[in-house]
Amino acid sequence: MIEYVKGEVAELTPAVAVIDCNGVGYALNISLNTYSAIQGKSTFKLFVYEAIREDAYVLYGFADKLERELFLLLISVSGIGGNTARMILSALSPSELSNVISSENVNMLKTVKGIGLKTAQRVIVDLKDKIKTGVTASGADVTLSAMNNAVHEEAVSALTMLGFSPAPSQKVVSAILKEDPAAPVEQVIKLALKRL
């Protein structure tokens, strides 16, 4: 089993990274989060998941172990394959995804292309307990406090009502609350409006 691939970045697109390891080029399917992490670097180390099927041998690459852990959890959900899991991890960062699942935010998951209501609900039901114990146990600070979470939800819904799409609103609000966890809703919305 391949644990990781480390080498020169030979080619890079938002969907695929080709890593040259001593003359052998490994094409790995990547998420947009991993693409952002690789951009501008000449060498990179990608953690790998191998999907071996009758008709294909596909490699998925991740910038860190947390993203790979979430990918493995996502593909364990019935009806979610590697490409759908990659789509989810492209729309939401690992910490945002963990937060969406632990706060049971079905609407946020539905904003991901290809995810309907039933699939979003299944992801939350299947992974809610695993996210709390699994991902947070690995040392990543992924859950917001209850008060912080309420402010987050309120700010995102206000921005959505103002006509901004939920995914970017969610990212901006998360970033603001990371900088100032005690910020009141009004301040978060004002700052978000400047950044969107």
Side-chain angles (χ1 to χ4, degrees):
M1 183 174 155
I2 301 172
E3 174 63 15
Y4 65 82
V5 173
K6 184 179 183 181
E8 194 178 307
V9 180
E11 288 176 40
L12 183 64
T13 69
V16 177
V18 177
I19 305 293
D20 183 333
C21 300
N22 300 322
V24 178
Y26 292 92
L28 299 109
N29 290 303
I30 56 171
S31 70
L32 287 175
N33 289 314
T34 297
Y35 173 70
S36 300
I38 299 173
Q39 252 184 332
K41 299 202 170 61
S42 58
T43 61
F44 205 80
K45 174 181 176 179
L46 284 174
F47 293 94
V48 175
Y49 170 73
E50 299 170 90
I52 302 167
R53 300 191 307 263
E54 279 181 30
D55 59 339
Y57 179 72
V58 184
L59 298 176
Y60 292 92
F62 308 94
D64 56 43
K65 284 185 175 181
L66 174 61
E67 189 178 19
R68 182 172 65 179
E69 256 177 72
L70 282 167
F71 178 86
L72 292 172
L73 286 173
L74 285 168
I75 61 172
S76 73
V77 175
S78 169
I80 292 194
N83 285 332
T84 307
R86 186 173 62 150
M87 187 73 75
I88 293 170
L89 287 166
S90 290
L92 303 163
S93 73
S95 59
E96 287 167 341
L97 178 60
S98 301
N99 193 38
V100 163
I101 293 169
S102 59
S103 64
E104 297 185 39
N105 190 342
V106 175
N107 292 330
M108 190 65 211
L109 258 182
K110 277 175 30 193
T111 63
V112 178
K113 185 176 176 253
I115 300 290
L117 177 64
K118 285 215 164 68
T119 309
Q121 288 171 333
R122 198 177 312 121
V123 167
I124 287 169
V125 167
D126 288 6
L127 303 184
K128 190 171 180 359
D129 295 335
K130 293 177 186 173
I131 288 288
K132 279 187 176 158
T133 55
V135 178
T136 50
S138 68
D141 178 24
V142 291
T143 48
L144 298 166
S145 68
M147 189 184 109
N148 201 325
N149 205 6
V151 169
H152 187 274
E153 292 293 311
E154 209 173 314
V156 171
S157 68
L159 290 165
T160 307
M161 280 186 245
L162 289 170
F164 295 96
S165 67
S169 302
Q170 183 102 5
K171 284 186 176 174
V172 169
V173 169
S174 293
I176 292 166
L177 285 172
K178 204 172 273 180
E179 293 162 16
D180 183 5
V185 179
E186 305 79 39
Q187 188 185 339
V188 172
I189 294 169
K190 280 180 191 168
L191 289 167
L193 287 171
K194 289 177 187 168
R195 295 186 192 186
L196 284 167

